[in-house]
Amino acid sequence: YDGEYEHGLRNGQGTYRFKNGARYIGTYLRNKKHGQGTFFYPDGSKYEGDWVDDQRHGHGQYTYANGDTYTGEWFNHYRHGQGTYVYKDTGSKYVGGWVNGNQEGEAELIYLNHRFQGRFSNGKPVGRGKYVFDFGCEQHGEYIQQEQDKGGEEEEEEPSLLAEPKWKASKITKLTLWTPHGETPPPPKEASLEAPAAPEPEAGGDGAEERPAAA
């Protein structure tokens, strides 16, 4: 550690280098990362933003090892609140709500020549929404969850191998205004906002590790 101390504790601006190659440059309060700081993780990913009591908390940007980025709100080390996740490989991006690290709530998923506007739960689209195409029309419909037996196997990390929700189109219309909170139909406001998905366990502790980027 190279930086300021107070009463024998890391306090103020400093740089901490971890044995595993991780590095933190920012402010400390009583030995904990607190305030503005940048953390370089061993896998090549990086977080730059607010810290509270050793946790990513407030507003910040995370650049993942695969080049994906998340910019937005954090709460107790998780992506939580409003934020934008950009997928480097495809150029698409998710703009909307997050709860405990998962995509949750009203959002837009923006592709190169079209976008989906609707609602997400636990990282997947749910219920009514619409696809907006750049050539000037919208396809309205809803996502229906398909049932699937999971045999006896259990995945240790990503529960993303569950059946994907299936899109059921209903009608095509001209373009209409859409806002994240559904002032204009469709999609109608039928799902409640308070039903956060159970959080997935995430690497935390000293902040020297980060879970893989969202699929």
Side-chain angles (χ1 to χ4, degrees):
Y1 173 72
D2 179 17
E4 300 172 347
Y5 283 93
E6 187 174 313
H7 304 303
L9 301 175
R10 295 187 295 276
N11 211 83
Q13 189 71 26
T15 298
Y16 195 104
R17 292 176 175 83
F18 294 81
K19 188 167 64 173
N20 64 3
R23 183 165 42 110
Y24 172 76
I25 303 170
T27 55
Y28 277 91
L29 180 66
R30 293 190 294 275
N31 261 3
K32 293 186 175 181
K33 298 182 286 290
H34 194 97
Q36 280 284 313
T38 302
F39 201 109
F40 299 88
Y41 295 87
D43 65 356
S45 59
K46 177 181 78 168
Y47 171 79
E48 185 173 10
D50 296 331
W51 296 81
V52 173
D53 200 24
D54 252 356
Q55 306 285 300
R56 297 185 294 267
H57 190 103
H59 190 276
Q61 180 180 72
Y62 200 109
T63 303
Y64 295 87
N66 66 356
D68 291 358
T69 60
Y70 169 80
T71 305
E73 296 175 277
W74 297 78
F75 184 82
N76 285 345
H77 232 45
Y78 288 102
R79 298 180 297 245
H80 190 99
Q82 292 294 306
T84 298
Y85 192 103
V86 179
Y87 299 88
K88 182 175 184 290
D89 285 350
T90 62
S92 58
K93 62 182 177 180
Y94 170 96
V95 182
W98 297 79
V99 174
N100 294 327
N102 292 315
Q103 296 165 341
E104 190 90 22
E106 299 283 347
E108 270 191 300
L109 192 53
I110 302 168
Y111 301 93
L112 295 180
N113 58 4
H114 67 286
R115 61 187 63 201
F116 171 74
Q117 297 169 339
R119 190 171 176 72
F120 286 74
S121 178
N122 201 20
K124 297 186 185 302
V126 293
R128 293 182 181 274
K130 65 183 180 182
Y131 279 91
V132 181
F133 297 94
D134 288 358
F135 52 81
C137 74
E138 300 178 350
Q139 183 185 74
H140 301 268
E142 64 180 314
Y143 271 101
I144 301 169
Q145 183 63 51
Q146 302 181 86
E147 295 296 325
Q148 173 173 309
D149 291 331
K150 278 195 70 180
E153 300 178 35
E154 285 192 9
E155 293 297 319
E156 286 183 7
E157 293 180 2
E158 298 288 343
S160 57
L161 298 181
L162 297 173
E164 290 294 318
K166 187 175 179 64
W167 174 250
K168 182 182 178 184
S170 58
K171 64 179 179 176
I172 293 176
T173 67
K174 298 185 300 183
L175 296 179
T176 55
L177 182 66
W178 180 85
T179 59
H181 301 293
E183 276 96 273
T184 58
K189 225 171 159 186
E190 57 179 36
S192 86
L193 284 171
E194 67 265 346
E200 293 181 30
E202 182 177 1
D206 61 5
E209 296 178 2
E210 168 64 19
R211 60 180 166 62

